[in-house]
Amino acid sequence: MPGTASSATFRWPVRVYYEDTDAGGVVYYANYLKFFERARTEWLRELGFEQEDLRRRYGLVFAVRRACVDYLTPARFDDRLVVTASIARSGRAGLDFLQEAIRAVDARHCARGEMSIVCLRLDDWRPARMPRELLEAIAR
C-alpha cells in the first residue's frame, strides 16, 4: 500500500498486530519507534532512494541520533494507524523529523515524536554529507 505525501507530510498506513501489543492489548511503547522508522524508510523510498542502495553505492547509512516521543492516546490491537513523517530541519549530514501515529478511525493522536537522523560513512562511522541527488530530492 503506497504512502502519500501532501503539504510536505508523508503518510504511511500501519495496522496494529498482536505482536505490537503488550499483555493489555495496547501498543507497546517501543513499537512506536518501529512505526516511525517504517514511515521514514517508505518516505525515502518514495523519493526514489533505497537504504540498501545508499549503503552499497555510497557507503552511507542513516542512524537515529536522538528520539523524543510523547505518548498521548493508546493504540490497540487491530487499530489502523496513519504514521506521518515531515522534515523539521534538513542539513547536509542529517535530518530532523516530526512524526505522529494517528488512529485512522477517529484521528486521535497516539504518539508524537521528534527524531534526529544522521548520515554516517560505513568505513569510519563518522557523519557524512548526504548524496547530492538525495539533498535535491528533499529540497523539492
Side-chain angles (χ1 to χ4, degrees), residues 3 54 77 107 117 137:
L54 291 171
F77 171 64
I117 311 302

Side-chain angles (χ1 to χ4, degrees), residues 10-64:
F10 179 80
R11 291 171 170 75
W12 186 253
V14 171
R15 171 74 80 150
V16 175
Y17 296 119
Y18 184 76
E19 68 185 26
D20 299 320
T21 64
D22 61 17
V26 171
V27 170
Y28 182 66
Y29 77 96
N31 287 332
Y32 287 101
L33 294 172
K34 293 179 181 181
F35 299 158
F36 291 162
E37 177 77 26
R38 289 180 203 165
R40 290 191 311 273
T41 297
E42 296 301 334
W43 164 82
L44 192 61
R45 187 171 281 142
E46 181 116 332
L47 289 178
F49 296 88
E50 297 287 338
Q51 290 195 46
E52 182 61 19
D53 185 50
L54 291 171
R55 186 187 68 76
R56 273 190 265 136
R57 187 171 170 196
Y58 299 100
L60 300 173
V61 294
F62 287 104
V64 174

Side-chain angles (χ1 to χ4, degrees), residues 65-137:
R65 186 180 63 78
R66 179 180 168 274
C68 179
V69 181
D70 292 316
Y71 302 96
L72 307 167
T73 300
R76 300 181 187 281
F77 171 64
D78 217 26
D79 277 350
R80 292 178 188 267
L81 304 177
V82 175
V83 181
T84 67
S86 60
I87 295 176
R89 185 196 66 79
S90 175
R92 293 183 303 178
L95 300 164
D96 291 341
F97 284 91
L98 298 177
Q99 294 195 256
E100 295 180 308
I102 303 163
R103 203 166 42 215
V105 68
D106 59 7
R108 298 281 307 260
H109 289 73
C110 299
R112 182 174 295 129
E114 298 174 14
M115 308 292 149
S116 292
I117 311 302
V118 64
C119 184
L120 300 173
R121 282 189 304 258
L122 277 173
D123 59 354
D124 62 4
W125 294 101
R126 300 202 31 96
R129 184 182 184 111
M130 288 182 274
R132 179 184 49 79
E133 299 89 352
L134 177 55
L135 289 169
E136 289 172 356

